[in-house]
Amino acid sequence: HRRRPGHVNRRHRAHPAIGAPMPDIPTDLRYATDHLWARRGDGTGLVRVGVTDFAQQALGDVVSVTLPDPGDTVTAGVACGDVESVKSVSDLVAPVTGTVSTSNDALTGAPELVNADPYGQGWMFDVEADRGTLDDQLSRLLDADDYRELTGE
């Protein structure tokens, strides 16, 4: 939809570099340079994946999400879906390698959850990774301090 010149959408978040609140960067997650987060399940090979708060602020209002299907194999560093916002379409680049066990179907009808709760209800998909390689895969991702440095926050 088109906006009138000078119209300000009060719900719209500005790009982080232009004065939005500092993005939330939880310390219990690992981060890909492509702005996805990974949360390992307790004692399992399951990894939940989502878009970071920094990324959702930069994207603006999310209008649709294309996720990998359960059973799909995703490969770390390779696009496996996309996020479309009012500003652009961005690839979802898998942070780990494995088989998708669940996709967040709630995002089909409510893609705005990515903006409202990127680390909770706005998660993207779960990956069942090889337990033998998962520690190594996660160690290749950034910790919260390194991600904060990457984003300049």
Side-chain angles (χ1 to χ4, degrees), residues 68-74 98-103 126-128:
D69 292 318
D72 287 354
T73 298
V74 295
T99 302
V100 175
S101 61
T102 310
S103 290
D126 290 336
V127 176
E128 185 66 45

Side-chain angles (χ1 to χ4, degrees), residues 17-109:
I18 307 175
M22 281 187 57
D24 185 22
I25 303 174
T27 58
D28 64 324
L29 305 177
R30 302 297 290 186
Y31 299 89
T33 57
D34 297 298
H35 306 290
L36 267 67
W37 55 263
R39 176 184 291 130
R40 184 179 192 163
D42 291 333
T44 70
L46 195 66
V47 177
R48 179 154 284 180
V49 175
V51 172
T52 66
D53 190 35
F54 177 87
Q56 71 80 19
Q57 285 184 31
L59 283 166
D61 293 335
V62 174
V63 295
S64 75
V65 179
T66 304
L67 300 174
D69 292 318
D72 287 354
T73 298
V74 295
T75 303
V78 177
C80 61
D82 61 56
V83 176
E84 182 178 353
S85 72
V86 294
K87 295 181 182 180
S88 65
V89 177
S90 299
D91 285 339
L92 292 175
V93 178
V96 295
T97 298
T99 302
V100 175
S101 61
T102 310
S103 290
N104 187 354
D105 294 334
L107 298 180
T108 302

